[in-house]
Amino acid sequence: MNPSFADTNNEFIPVTAVSQLKDVQPTDWAFQALRSLVERYGVISGYPDASFRGQNAITRDEFAAGLNAALNRINELISTGKESLVSPEDLITLQRLQKEFAGELATLRARIDILETSNVELSANQFSTTTKLTGQVVIAVNAGEFDGDKIIAPRGAVISENDPNPTFIYRSSLDLNSSFKGTDLLKIRLVTGSDGANDSATGFLEPNFGSVLDYSIQGRNNQISLARLYYTFTPNPDLKVTIGSALVAPDFVDKNRYANVSFKDFSTQAFANNFILLPRAGGAGAVIDWHPKGSSVKLRAAYIAGDATNQLPDNQRLIGGGGSENIRLFPNAGGGADGGLFGDPYQGFTELEYSPSKAFNVRLQYSSGKVFGSSFQGVGVNFDYSLNSQIGIFGRYGYASYPNTSLGDINPNYWMAGFSLQDLFVKGGILGFAIGQPFIESAVGNSTQTNYEIFYNLPVNDNIRLTPLLQIVTNPSNQDDNGRIISGTLRTVFSF
């Protein structure tokens, strides 16, 4: 029996020597014939228990299947110049059997042709969905303090006269990643977490200019929310297109190999992305990513729009977020926006990336849009450079124009820079340090806020990473009357 037919349901196993068949003895009348078929043509299979069961009866169709396998094997030997392995006696016998079983062989080959045609058609038109479930839990313990008697907001309102209490922060996410063709992706992400930006010392004491722990602002006060819903497909090998009702721009633009993922490297929001170019980071929209094959240039463009009018949030998470006593850059915040896919608020972001080598990437950026009645536009640059396999440097710069704000026409600057050490102390260990000024604008306060962060990311195993980090904020809220803020966090990330 031939494995290509008999082994389709794992009922038979190939035999390379007749001695493998425990119920075939040298004294059996068929021993020599079986040995010839095994050693010369390799067309015999046995049962999983190493038996041949030669006494069992077979049908003419079963015999025809075995005969067809022997004919195919002999044709293969002849076509590859190994006809010397085929004895003349076997050829004569096979010719007689081929004539005797001509009808059965013709039927068998017709069935094989039909099966092969059906298989080709199914392979070409199959709709096979592959879905992978991944998840992540971020748990952090945070505590901090400030110098002086009080902390004031950019307009002078008192934020706090006392150090905040230590806090426990968590964020949990569950991703469903589905592919229909192998080159596409349907992503669905559900997120829940603790209360939000104010659950860390820096987020509570300096809520306006990106000092908050980035992953803490994604919480929804223990409520489950839809954080991602989009579909990515490839119209051609050089182009990716993404559309969805829940997109976040930094997933696609303003990336940086050392400063972009807050649960892996820097946690300070203003260090994760260009703070002044992305005031409307999330919503519905589309992204294109064009990378010509063999080219060192990539072009990306994103459009993100707001929710329906009755679902628009207040000014939280936008530049100048916070209560009414804080800075509120946008005069119509929470009341004057249109909503919808093409209404206010919306944002467009275009990025040209140049990578002359694997070590160096530079991204030129243009951002524009409208947020709560105030139009804006800005330009930026983002780079990362690997000095060697362990040491890397990086930085961002941004300049933006925000006319018609509650403070008039303003032109804030932004910059951040730092270095990263990979595989420090242990394989996978990461040390990072960054410094930056998220909102340089003379109309806002009388000094310039400066942020610092240092962290060490230690892999405990393949699924757990432990990261102690330290944040320092000097001149918070651009007020030199404010003393520096210092905050420590122990971050643990479980991935599965």
Side-chain angles (χ1 to χ4, degrees):
M1 202 69 68
N2 183 272
S4 61
F5 292 87
D7 200 32
T8 54
N9 292 314
N10 295 324
E11 185 180 355
F12 298 92
I13 58 174
V15 173
T16 57
V18 72
S19 60
Q20 294 176 243
L21 301 170
K22 66 181 182 180
D23 59 347
V24 176
Q25 304 300 322
T27 56
D28 293 337
W29 66 271
F31 179 82
Q32 293 299 330
L34 285 173
R35 186 167 68 176
S36 177
L37 289 171
V38 170
E39 296 176 357
R40 184 172 295 180
Y41 303 119
V43 293
I44 294 296
S45 295
Y47 286 90
D49 64 354
S51 64
F52 182 66
R53 305 179 192 178
Q55 73 279 7
N56 291 357
I58 63 171
T59 65
R60 284 179 64 90
D61 285 343
E62 290 172 332
F63 185 82
L67 175 60
N68 185 68
L71 290 170
N72 289 338
R73 176 58 178 160
I74 288 175
N75 288 331
E76 179 185 344
L77 291 172
I78 293 174
S79 65
T80 56
K82 298 178 181 179
E83 60 273 7
S84 60
L85 298 177
V86 183
S87 70
E89 294 81 4
D90 290 343
L91 283 175
I92 294 172
T93 301
L94 286 171
Q95 287 171 355
R96 290 202 305 266
L97 290 172
Q98 188 176 15
K99 183 176 181 180
E100 173 68 23
F101 287 86
E104 287 84 354
L105 290 171
T107 301
L108 179 64
R109 287 167 181 164
R111 290 175 181 173
I112 293 174
D113 289 342
I114 293 172
L115 288 173
E116 289 179 346
T117 301
S118 298
N119 184 57
V120 171
E121 184 176 350
L122 286 171
S123 298
N125 299 283
Q126 66 178 346
F127 185 80
S128 176
T129 304
T130 300
T131 300
K132 294 183 179 180
L133 176 66
T134 61
Q136 183 186 82
V137 178
V138 180
I139 296 173
V141 178
N142 171 267
E145 63 176 18
F146 64 91
D147 285 345
D149 298 327
K150 59 186 176 181
I151 290 284
I152 61 175
R155 285 184 170 176
V158 176
I159 293 178
S160 179
E161 295 180 343
N162 301 298
D163 292 333
N165 294 322
T167 56
F168 173 82
I169 305 164
Y170 86 94
R171 188 199 70 189
S172 179
S173 62
L174 190 67
D175 281 27
L176 294 169
N177 300 312
S178 301
S179 178
F180 306 100
K181 299 179 180 179
T183 57
D184 59 342
L185 172 66
L186 173 64
K187 177 177 280 292
I188 300 172
R189 177 179 296 171
L190 301 176
V191 172
T192 187
S194 48
D195 200 18
N198 290 340
D199 60 5
S200 66
T202 51
F204 172 69
L205 297 172
E206 200 294 288
N208 299 290
F209 300 140
S211 301
V212 61
L213 295 172
D214 183 70
Y215 43 81
S216 72
I217 63 178
Q218 301 173 39
R220 293 295 185 275
N221 197 18
N222 303 313
Q223 297 180 1
I224 297 175
S225 62
L226 180 66
R228 305 288 191 280
L229 177 56
Y230 62 79
Y231 179 63
T232 300
F233 59 98
T234 53
N236 63 61
D238 298 339
L239 180 66
K240 288 185 179 180
V241 178
T242 301
I243 56 175
S245 60
L247 294 169
V248 176
D251 287 354
F252 304 93
V253 297
D254 196 34
K255 292 188 175 182
N256 189 291
R257 79 175 83 185
Y258 301 117
N260 185 232
V261 184
S262 63
F263 60 82
K264 179 185 177 183
D265 38 58
F266 295 96
S267 295
T268 302
Q269 183 191 26
F271 293 164
N273 293 107
N274 196 317
F275 185 64
I276 64 174
L277 296 188
L278 290 163
R280 184 69 190 182
V287 181
I288 62 170
D289 189 331
W290 182 54
H291 182 197
K293 186 176 181 180
S295 173
S296 57
V297 175
K298 300 177 183 177
L299 178 64
R300 305 182 186 94
Y303 177 85
I304 304 293
D307 300 320
T309 301
N310 62 351
Q311 294 179 336
L312 287 170
D314 202 346
N315 210 13
Q316 302 286 346
R317 293 195 61 191
L318 302 176
I319 293 177
S324 58
E325 71 278 8
N326 290 331
I327 183 176
R328 287 207 187 276
L329 289 181
F330 308 113
N332 295 324
D338 300 326
L341 188 59
F342 301 104
D344 173 5
Y346 68 88
Q347 167 159 2
F349 196 101
T350 304
E351 180 176 75
L352 180 65
E353 179 175 334
Y354 176 58
S355 305
S357 68
K358 292 183 179 180
F360 181 67
N361 303 287
V362 60
R363 306 161 188 92
L364 302 178
Q365 303 160 330
Y366 173 74
S367 175
S368 66
K370 194 172 186 179
V371 180
F372 297 131
S374 179
S375 299
F376 71 92
Q377 58 181 332
V379 293
V381 62
N382 167 342
F383 83 93
D384 56 70
Y385 179 52
S386 297
L387 300 175
N388 54 44
S389 62
Q390 286 190 290
I391 304 174
I393 58 175
F394 56 91
R396 289 185 177 94
Y397 173 77
Y399 172 84
S401 171
Y402 283 84
N404 191 32
T405 74
S406 57
L407 298 171
D409 298 343
I410 62 173
N411 298 283
N413 287 259
Y414 157 93
W415 69 269
M416 63 86 67
F419 66 86
S420 179
L421 303 179
Q422 307 289 309
D423 295 329
L424 183 66
F425 303 130
V426 298
K427 185 174 179 58
I430 306 171
L431 174 71
F433 172 79
I435 178 176
Q437 294 178 305
F439 204 82
I440 307 170
E441 169 55 61
S442 59
V444 183
N446 52 14
S447 187
T448 299
Q449 174 179 309
T450 305
N451 289 65
Y452 305 81
E453 181 181 337
I454 186 170
F455 73 88
Y456 179 68
N457 188 329
L458 173 67
V460 178
N461 54 41
D462 292 341
N463 304 104
I464 302 175
R465 301 186 76 96
L466 188 65
T467 306
L469 63 98
L470 178 69
Q471 294 172 284
I472 299 175
V473 186
T474 61
N475 298 324
S477 300
N478 281 356
Q479 302 289 328
D480 58 4
D481 289 338
N482 284 333
R484 61 108 181 97
I485 299 170
I486 185 168
S487 175
T489 304
L490 181 62
R491 181 184 76 201
T492 306
V493 179
F494 303 86
S495 301
F496 58 91

